[in-house]
């Protein structure tokens, strides 16, 4: 077996494996459903059931979906975040290394905080105590209103 054949075989196995994982993810695991805004699709994974049930009981059910609070409001940022979150959720779920209850990463916390401020901008502008970045970070929507989006 020559080196060129070995390189092609390794490349073929890698590409075939990536295609198989992609087909499995988008067809069997319903990966395509994550492209929509339907909150029910976030509950495809059982570890999200508690958050989905809490959202159905919460005050945001009629005005916001998961994407409104957990992805940036621009199209590119939204789908980049969905791709990243989807990959890591799949990875942790597949390897059975996820944390229960599921927790926000620091990046997700920042996105959610920005979403609160985006939708409630008039109210937030009226209560923000300082334009100093240090003090602005001390005022956190999530710190005081943690259960608003997911009433438990």
């Amino acid at each position: 077996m020559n080196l060129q054949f070995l390189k092609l075989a390794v490349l073929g196995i890698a590409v075939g494996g990536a295609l198989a994982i992609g087909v499995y993810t988008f067809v069997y695991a319903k990966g395509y459903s994550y492209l929509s805004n339907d909150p029910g699709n976030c509950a495809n994974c059982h570890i999200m059931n508690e958050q989905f049930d809490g959202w159905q009981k919460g005050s945001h059910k009629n005005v916001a979906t998961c994407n409104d609070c957990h992805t940036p409001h621009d199209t590119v940022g939204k789908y980049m975040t969905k791709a990243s979150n989807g990959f890591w959720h799949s990875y942790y779920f597949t390897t059975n290394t996820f944390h229960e209850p599921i927790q926000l990463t620091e990046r997700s916390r920042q996105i959610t905080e920005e979403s609160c401020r985006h939708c409630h901008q008039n109210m937030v502008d009226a209560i923000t105590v300082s334009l100093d970045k240090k003090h602005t970070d001390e005022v956190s929507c999530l710190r005081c209103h943690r259960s608003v989006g997911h009433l438990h």
Side-chain angles (χ1 to χ4, degrees):
M1 181 179 331
N2 66 29
L3 186 58
Q4 183 69 19
F5 178 78
L6 184 60
K7 288 179 180 178
L8 285 174
V10 168
L11 179 64
I13 290 170
V15 169
L19 283 172
I21 290 171
V23 168
Y24 172 81
T25 299
F26 273 84
V27 176
Y28 182 76
K30 301 178 185 175
Y32 59 86
S33 68
Y34 294 103
L35 299 175
S36 77
N37 282 328
D38 181 358
N41 292 332
C42 292
N44 280 348
C45 176
H46 77 86
I47 61 172
M48 300 299 283
N49 286 341
E50 182 180 344
Q51 286 74 23
F52 181 71
D53 291 342
W55 170 79
Q56 288 186 309
K57 297 172 187 168
S59 61
H60 282 73
K61 179 185 177 192
N62 294 325
V63 293
T65 65
C66 306
N67 289 324
D68 293 323
C69 299
H70 296 290
T71 63
H73 290 203
D74 66 290
T75 303
V76 173
K78 174 182 175 179
Y79 285 102
M80 292 295 290
T81 299
K82 287 174 73 79
S84 175
N85 287 348
F87 173 80
W88 288 111
H89 287 177
S90 297
Y91 173 80
Y92 290 125
F93 187 73
T94 301
T95 60
N96 200 26
T97 56
F98 56 90
H99 184 276
E100 281 195 87
I102 194 168
Q103 296 179 331
L104 289 173
T105 63
E106 179 57 27
R107 182 174 182 273
S108 292
R109 190 199 64 74
Q110 290 175 352
I111 290 170
T112 304
E113 184 76 26
E114 289 172 12
S115 294
C116 294
R117 294 172 187 238
H118 175 83
C119 292
H120 300 283
Q121 186 173 8
N122 291 339
M123 183 185 311
V124 172
D125 287 346
I127 63 172
T128 298
V129 294
S130 173
L131 294 178
D132 182 352
K133 179 75 173 158
K134 177 183 172 191
H135 294 296
T136 300
D137 287 345
E138 293 173 0
V139 179
S140 167
C141 304
L142 298 176
R143 184 178 305 141
C144 297
H145 305 283
R146 184 176 178 183
S147 66
V148 168
H150 303 283
L151 186 62
H152 300 286

